[in-house]
């Protein structure tokens, strides 16, 4: 489960890179959705897709493993991008995001999690990838 979670984190990193490389932003958003679709179709372990199915305390170790694996995969992919000189793509986004007040940033994070959970739940219930 940990290796699959790490791989999923790498895929999210790739989807994020596609977002950074594309303009207009709507095209990047569509590419990110395509990356999420691949994760859903392949039934990979994405924390934001699994946390909505959290039922009891027995799921805590599984959720922790998925979260840690996703973090490791995305972090390692980010390090690779940094080593190859792609960090300049993220600098404007980092500056914008760090200038937002912390409570507003927290609110945006919650909203993003809700949207991802709705996309994942919609796909799981209907198997219709167009809902992602």
């Amino acid at each position: 489960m940990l290796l699959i979670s790490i791989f999923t984190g790498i895929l999210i990193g790739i989807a994020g890179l596609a977002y950074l490389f594309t303009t207009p932003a709507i095209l990047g958003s569509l590419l990110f959705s395509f990356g999420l679709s691949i994760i859903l179709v392949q039934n990979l372990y994405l924390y934001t897709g699994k946390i909505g199915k959290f039922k009891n305390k027995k799921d805590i170790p599984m959720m922790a493993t998925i979260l840690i694996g996703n973090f490791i995969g995305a972090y390692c992919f980010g390090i690779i991008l940094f080593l190859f000189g792609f960090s300049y793509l993220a600098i404007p986004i980092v500056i914008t995001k760090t200038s937002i007040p912390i409570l507003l940033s927290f609110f945006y994070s919650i909203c993003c999690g809700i949207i991802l959970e709705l996309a994942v739940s919609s796909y799981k219930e209907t198997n219709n990838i167009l809902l992602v």
Side-chain angles (χ1 to χ4, degrees):
M1 180 185 326
L2 181 62
L3 287 176
I4 294 171
S5 298
I6 291 170
F7 178 67
T8 306
I10 292 169
L11 287 177
I12 285 296
I14 292 169
L17 179 64
Y19 174 79
L20 290 175
F21 264 119
T22 55
T23 52
I26 190 73
L27 180 59
S29 299
L30 290 172
L31 288 172
F32 188 85
S33 293
F34 179 71
L36 180 61
S37 300
I38 291 170
I39 289 168
L40 292 173
V41 169
Q42 296 299 318
N43 200 26
L44 300 176
Y45 294 113
L46 181 63
Y47 179 78
T48 51
K50 300 288 185 189
I51 192 67
K53 307 299 181 241
F54 185 81
K55 294 190 181 355
N56 56 45
K57 291 180 181 179
K58 292 179 184 177
D59 293 336
I60 291 174
M62 178 186 70
M63 297 309 299
T65 302
I66 293 170
L67 180 62
I68 291 167
N70 288 173
F71 176 80
I72 291 170
Y75 184 79
C76 288
F77 188 76
I79 294 294
I80 290 168
L81 291 179
F82 176 77
L83 292 174
F84 282 99
F86 288 108
S87 58
Y88 72 93
L89 292 168
I91 290 172
I93 294 172
V94 170
I95 291 170
T96 301
K97 299 292 182 186
T98 56
S99 66
I100 298 172
I102 190 84
L103 289 176
L104 186 58
S105 181
F106 183 68
F107 174 73
Y108 288 163
S109 299
I110 290 172
C111 290
C112 181
I114 290 170
I115 290 169
L116 279 172
E117 171 55 29
L118 288 172
V120 170
S121 295
S122 297
Y123 172 74
K124 297 279 182 173
E125 290 177 16
T126 64
N127 278 343
N128 185 351
I129 205 65
L130 295 177
L131 295 175
V132 176

